[in-house]
Amino acid sequence: VQRGVVAVHPLTAFCAAVSVGVVDGTPVLDLPYVEDARAGVDMNLVMTSEGRFVEVQGTAEGAAFTRAELDEMLGLGEKGVAEIIELQRQMVAVPPAPRPVAPTDR
């Protein structure tokens, strides 16, 4: 876009992914391998800068998790994704240009 090769940014939003899990009963963001290997719950979360979900994949590695734990993991994941997207915004000179949402996408 900056060089005039394309008129409009080809991306419609930023996108980021994080891992979240429950380790020793505590929800944790961005698990290193040591924690991931012993996590009772392991989740991957991919979201756009528009707050839309691309992927939510969670697995109970030990005991099943509750809705409250899921909500807490989603909240942590959203926070982590927002931090990554903010860094992306700072690094990109020409950000993605939002496109109108089709009625079927809502």
Side-chain angles (χ1 to χ4, degrees):
V1 174
Q2 283 181 298
R3 289 184 279 168
V5 176
V6 293
V8 179
H9 200 294
L11 301 177
T12 60
F14 289 98
C15 184
V18 294
S19 64
V20 185
V22 177
V23 180
D24 300 327
T26 303
V28 181
L29 175 65
D30 197 23
L31 289 76
Y33 176 76
V34 173
E35 289 180 339
D36 187 83
R38 64 180 232 272
V41 178
D42 184 21
M43 176 178 279
N44 297 313
L45 181 64
V46 184
M47 295 180 68
T48 71
S49 54
E50 298 166 334
R52 298 179 68 117
F53 293 95
V54 175
E55 176 185 4
V56 177
Q57 181 275 319
T59 304
E61 303 289 347
F65 52 95
T66 66
R67 176 60 186 256
E69 289 171 317
L70 173 61
D71 290 343
E72 193 167 356
M73 287 185 290
L74 286 174
L76 273 176
E78 286 176 307
K79 179 181 177 291
V81 164
E83 291 175 11
I84 292 169
I85 288 173
E86 180 54 35
L87 292 171
Q88 290 174 345
R89 287 184 199 282
Q90 293 172 20
M91 299 303 297
V92 176
V94 179
R99 296 201 178 80
V101 176
T104 58
D105 290 344
R106 294 183 182 162

